[in-house]
Amino acid sequence: MGNYSLFSIVREGLRGNTGWTPAWRDPDPKPSYDAVIIGGGGHGLATAYYLAKIHGMKNIAVVEKGWIGGGNSGRNTTIIRSNYLYDASAAIYEHALKLWEGLSQELNYNIMMSHRGVLNLAHDDNEARQLKRRVEANRLNGVDAEYLGPKEIKEFCPILNTSPDIRYPVIGATLQRRGGTNRHDAVCWGYARAADALGVDIIQNCEVTEILTERGQVTGLRTSRGDIRTEKVASVTAGHTSVIAGMVGVRLPIESHPLQALVSEPLKPVNPCVVMSNAVHVYCSQSDKGELVIGAGIDGHTSYTQRGSLDIIEHQMAAIVELFPIFSRLRMMRQWGGIVDVCPDASPIISKTEIGGFYVNGGWGTGGWKATPGSGHAFADLVANDAPNAIAAPFTLERFVTGDLVAEHGAAAVAH
Amino acid sequence: MFVITCPYCGERDQSEFAHAGEAHISRPRESETMTDAEWAEFLFMRDNTKGIHAERWIHAAGCRRFFNALRNTATDRFLAFYRIGEKPPEIDDVVPATPCGEAVGSGNDAVKVERPPEAGR
């Protein structure tokens, strides 16, 4: 596999694009590995990459039941920001944002990172106070944050309806200029290619059916493509965290809900930033293809079916038309659902468990994508050293026993 | 979107109801003697079953009463509705064949397999 560069593009252009090779291998599983990561989404592939790159663990594998990036990595709305209220959250999401900033260069793969800015709207005085408090908290944590009034909002995002006579008028907003969007497939493929180049086996169409243990220690995996011996198993299976943990009897405080999103027909560039609103509960950005990417809240019921109810979409369309009257005659093209693992405190679990060699990274709820590099970086450290680093430490499973929760519900400008 | 049968009011649209979490979790009687771990189990830990799941619903825009339901969370098919205090009925339903319940390499075949053939794809 060669380095992607302007030179390679020109060379392949002249050769009729006959010289490109697959970006990663398609290996059969080996009988044993030093560690196996279950789940080939962004977080799992990032974990594998940092394990190989930083911790020198190259005899490792990622096993994925479908194709890489086909779960929640391919279903989210790719919004990147780090303006969380609490120190623990700000630390991990800001760590991730710093890694996003240099990721295209690091992976030699264009992840189409666009720092176009994220607006979080306030629609009443109480919300405005909360947002101002968060701006100050963000600044104390070194996270860029600004508070804008209606006039400045209108300048930053002219299509937003800032008229005072709408049902829920926009009275202010926070802006994180370094926030934005990126390309989900490119992130997965970039991490896969870079991890593969370091010797990591990426094994697709391989479902884990059993985790083998002896005397409370992981000894291997039973998969649809044969048994694999390993002493370390790292579960990074958004949407199925409880199912995997249940294989070794680890109890988790997670409930899995459908989260839906949809895209419109493509338009010329019209929405210059990401707009999020908690009160009317919708968020919207425009992809590089021109489609508006629109998301909202989870369905209230739990499910594993990757589909939700139509009333959620009706609600989200009502909200989007209120905020952006210009979109009222747009047609929506595609709609889908993913399954998000929601923790009671809306913060993730990056943790050891009572089973030796079994590690869990999950429970990211509705906002895991933005954390992808930071999550993988911190989780790789945990798996390699069998102890959490300073960034992962607040997100242990024990916090649900000690009560030391990272309660980001409603605190983090999160549209939960 | 579900059609839900309230045991008191009959069949109604899902939008009249609110999901109220896993069923049959009873509040501990001797809470003063419980350890932190036991509290964590009661407050936070959940089965989050993929397969036949007992759950509570409240008929929020109707009779406003809680009731229980059995639903296969791998297919979203409701299997039974019963009142609070009653035991869940015995149900013989398809449970996922593998832990993820989906054909290897599929997006999410559990759902498609459950769909009657005349409904098409």
Side-chain angles (χ1 to χ4, degrees), chain B residues 78-94:
Chain B
F78 277 100
L79 306 165
F81 299 95
Y82 54 103
R83 297 177 185 207
I84 295 289
E86 292 176 6
K87 286 205 160 58
E90 292 291 316
I91 290 293
D92 189 26
D93 191 54
V94 186

Side-chain angles (χ1 to χ4, degrees), chain A residues 275-324:
Chain A
V275 177
M276 309 180 73
S277 165
N278 276 4
V280 300
H281 214 164
V282 74
Y283 40 92
C284 174
S285 65
Q286 190 170 15
S287 74
D288 292 336
K289 283 187 285 183
E291 302 159 344
L292 295 171
V293 185
I294 302 165
I298 56 173
D299 280 66
H301 61 276
T302 60
S303 179
Y304 287 92
T305 56
Q306 295 183 327
R307 60 180 180 185
S309 300
L310 191 66
D311 55 338
I312 302 280
I313 293 174
E314 284 183 316
H315 176 89
Q316 129 186 27
M317 288 297 96
I320 206 83
V321 171
E322 174 91 341
L323 289 178
F324 301 99

Side-chain angles (χ1 to χ4, degrees), chain A residues 65 67 205 207 209 240 242-243 247 251-254 256 300-307 309 344 400-401, chain B residues 1-2 14 19 36 40-41 44-50 71 73-76 98-100 102 104-105 108 111:
Chain A
K65 80 173 155 62
W67 55 90
N205 296 318
E207 180 184 348
T209 55
H240 279 84
S242 302
V243 173
M247 291 180 183
R251 298 273 289 161
L252 294 176
I254 284 176
S256 301
H301 61 276
T302 60
S303 179
Y304 287 92
T305 56
Q306 295 183 327
R307 60 180 180 185
S309 300
F400 297 99
V401 175
Chain B
M1 195 124 177
F2 304 150
Q14 184 185 354
H19 188 263
D36 289 350
E41 176 64 30
F44 298 130
M45 300 301 166
R46 295 293 179 263
D47 291 343
N48 199 21
T49 313
K50 182 162 189 171
R71 182 169 51 95
T73 57
T75 61
D76 274 351
T98 58
C100 85
E102 294 158 25
V104 169
N108 189 353
V111 178

